[in-house]
Amino acid sequence: MSGSAIRHRDVSSFKLRRGRSIYAPTPSTTFGPKACLKKVPASQIMHVTDPSSQLLTWKVNALSVLVIKKIYDESVIEPFKALVTFLSKEKNLVIFVEAGVQKEESILNDDHFTSIRNKMKTFKEGDDITDKIDFIVCLGGDGTLLYASSLFQEGSVPPVMAFSLGSLGFLTPFEFDNYQDSINAVLKGNSSVTLRSRLNSHIYTDDNIPNNNHNYDHDSIFGTEHKLPDPPNLKVKFQVLNEVVIDRGPSPYLSNLDLYLDNRHITTVQGDGLIISTPTGSTAYAAAAGASMIHPNVPAIMITPICPHSLSFRPIIIPAGVELKIMVPPDARHTAWVSHDGRSRQEIHKGWAVRITTSIYPVACVCRRDQISDWFDSLAECLHWNVRQRQKGFTKTCAINNGKSESESD
């Protein structure tokens, strides 16, 4: 075979080889010789890049960093001091911390840390720091990442780098031992990121829910935001990274919740409650309630009942673009309670409604390796997914054939 033929064969095989992609191939829009999908206006087409090609880059160099550390844990103090000193002295970054961090005894009484402590800027929960933070570093467990997400309710969330210094660490892939190299790599750019979707949760005092995308019209998806005023019947609004839980609270009665999907009544939930979770939240409360675990790059919303009084009520997965409404019917025996990522617990009365949609502002979590490896590493290391002693092979040298040894079959 000639060299030119070999080169031709290599090129042909390269063209036919499918590249790595987390998403499935784009389906054909024609079906047979006559049928096809109806065309839609360009404004209704959402272009999504392949997650495996999602790399973090910086338009300009980062100037500020928010450091979130686990509270009530003395073991995090020294890593916190080392990290902040490195970010301030070596990287010349402005450090933001919670106001309570500066007042911790281990930090106040360290004279060697005084100069760094005096440079740190503080904030309190509820302060708007959206335009002040370039990226976030978490020291602790998964709760630190959930808390970081909760600080950015009105807009986009800066990229998050999470170091595992807590109890579980499913969402914290980085080890602190080589924190300087890891941070240098992130600040340099081209790090893989996992875009973890969030949910918008809005609580209304009646079922008169406006037909808008929770304060923003659809132009915001394409980069032009037009903030709309909150309607008078809007009681609470929140963005969550894990889940929205609606349960019976202190009531001894079954919760009765009407579930709607795109304004269509789907079912009435009778049980302890309902979990509406993101793919990220599928490995949290939903997993404990018997749901499947979904990779965070799958665009979906999971609905999981809590102890339903029905043997056939199983968890379901629905498309991320739908709108959910959960309503306490007027004839319910009692009220219900809503919590957002385990916080902001709110009672909802009869006739009130909770509207849930996918937020346009995900959390960009920096990967230690890539989107696939990090997730399966967490499944194995944190949840011990499918951990089992491997089945041993046969120790006898004879082969088994219909229950007889090879010598007998001969």
Side-chain angles (χ1 to χ4, degrees):
M1 183 178 293
S2 66
S4 60
I6 294 176
R7 287 195 296 271
H8 176 71
R9 184 188 66 179
D10 291 343
V11 172
S12 298
S13 63
F14 176 78
K15 289 181 178 179
L16 294 175
R17 189 185 306 123
R18 182 179 169 224
R20 181 188 173 198
S21 174
I22 293 180
Y23 281 152
T26 302
S28 172
T29 58
T30 59
F31 313 100
K34 301 287 174 55
C36 66
L37 289 180
K38 183 179 179 180
K39 292 184 178 181
V40 298
S43 61
Q44 298 182 15
I45 299 175
M46 189 70 178
H47 297 283
V48 181
T49 59
D50 178 11
S52 63
S53 65
Q54 291 172 349
L55 302 175
L56 179 66
T57 187
W58 302 95
K59 294 182 287 186
V60 295
N61 292 335
L63 299 177
S64 62
V65 56
L66 168 62
V67 179
I68 301 292
K69 72 175 224 34
K70 185 180 180 181
I71 59 174
Y72 310 128
D73 190 345
E74 287 293 324
S75 65
V76 184
I77 295 295
E78 292 306 318
F80 170 78
K81 293 178 182 177
L83 173 70
V84 170
T85 301
F86 170 74
L87 293 173
S88 178
K89 289 187 175 181
E90 300 294 330
K91 311 310 294 185
N92 296 317
L93 294 171
V94 178
I95 313 296
F96 283 81
V97 297
E98 297 173 84
V101 171
Q102 275 196 332
K103 300 176 182 178
E104 291 189 18
E105 184 176 348
S106 301
I107 295 177
L108 275 176
N109 297 335
D110 188 346
D111 295 335
H112 299 289
F113 193 68
T114 301
S115 61
I116 301 297
R117 179 172 58 84
N118 292 336
K119 292 181 181 179
M120 295 190 301
K121 296 184 178 298
T122 62
F123 71 95
K124 294 181 293 184
E125 189 172 0
D127 292 347
D128 185 10
I129 56 175
T130 304
D131 297 327
K132 299 177 181 179
I133 307 300
D134 292 332
F135 80 109
I136 305 170
V137 177
C138 294
L139 301 176
D142 295 346
T144 57
L145 182 57
L146 294 175
Y147 178 67
S149 169
S150 71
L151 296 175
F152 299 86
Q153 290 293 316
E154 295 296 333
S156 63
V157 185
V160 182
M161 187 179 187
F163 289 92
S164 181
L165 293 172
S167 302
L168 186 62
F170 192 90
L171 305 177
T172 55
F174 287 93
E175 298 294 336
F176 192 76
D177 293 339
N178 57 344
Y179 71 94
Q180 295 186 5
D181 293 338
S182 299
I183 289 177
N184 284 332
V186 171
L187 293 178
K188 184 178 179 181
N190 291 331
S191 297
S192 296
V193 291
T194 297
L195 298 184
R196 298 183 178 274
S197 62
R198 297 197 293 175
L199 295 176
N200 278 316
S201 174
H202 286 208
I203 300 176
Y204 295 88
T205 55
D206 54 52
D207 64 346
N208 184 23
I209 299 177
N211 293 321
N212 62 65
N213 192 24
H214 302 281
N215 302 98
Y216 294 93
D217 64 16
H218 288 88
D219 288 342
S220 64
I221 298 176
F222 302 99
T224 304
E225 295 181 353
H226 300 283
K227 189 172 177 61
L228 301 174
D230 292 335
N233 62 338
L234 177 61
K235 180 72 174 180
V236 175
K237 58 181 180 179
F238 213 83
Q239 293 198 59
V240 300
L241 180 59
N242 264 356
E243 73 275 305
V244 179
V245 177
I246 306 172
D247 57 49
R248 61 190 176 96
S251 170
Y253 303 110
L254 288 173
S255 64
N256 280 273
L257 304 171
D258 286 335
L259 176 62
Y260 296 83
L261 193 153
D262 285 343
N263 292 322
R264 174 183 174 181
H265 183 261
I266 300 300
T267 190
T268 297
V269 180
Q270 298 183 94
D272 280 353
L274 200 61
I275 305 169
I276 311 297
S277 58
T278 64
T280 296
S282 70
T283 53
Y285 191 2
S292 297
M293 294 181 290
I294 309 174
H295 189 278
N297 279 120
V298 177
I301 298 174
M302 173 167 280
I303 302 175
T304 306
I306 307 172
C307 298
H309 200 249
S310 170
L311 297 178
S312 60
F313 196 172
R314 308 303 303 160
I316 59 173
I317 301 171
I318 58 175
V322 302
E323 176 188 305
L324 291 174
K325 182 177 74 172
I326 299 95
M327 182 176 177
V328 181
D331 60 349
R333 290 191 176 186
H334 205 268
T335 62
W337 289 77
V338 180
S339 61
H340 301 91
D341 280 346
R343 309 175 69 216
S344 304
R345 195 156 173 81
Q346 167 73 49
E347 185 177 14
I348 53 175
H349 299 275
K350 300 176 184 180
W352 288 28
V354 182
R355 181 187 187 189
I356 300 174
T357 58
T358 299
S359 171
I360 64 172
Y361 299 113
V363 178
C365 295
V366 181
C367 300
R368 182 171 62 91
R369 295 170 61 189
D370 56 64
Q371 296 92 340
I372 293 296
S373 300
D374 282 14
W375 193 67
F376 277 100
D377 287 346
S378 294
L379 285 182
E381 296 171 9
C382 301
L383 301 184
H384 303 291
W385 178 66
N386 198 31
V387 173
R388 180 191 184 277
Q389 185 177 359
R390 187 177 181 86
Q391 186 182 50
K392 296 180 180 179
F394 292 114
T395 58
K396 294 183 179 180
T397 57
C398 61
I400 304 300
N401 185 13
N402 293 327
K404 296 181 180 181
S405 67
E406 189 177 28
S407 58
E408 291 175 336
S409 62
D410 289 339

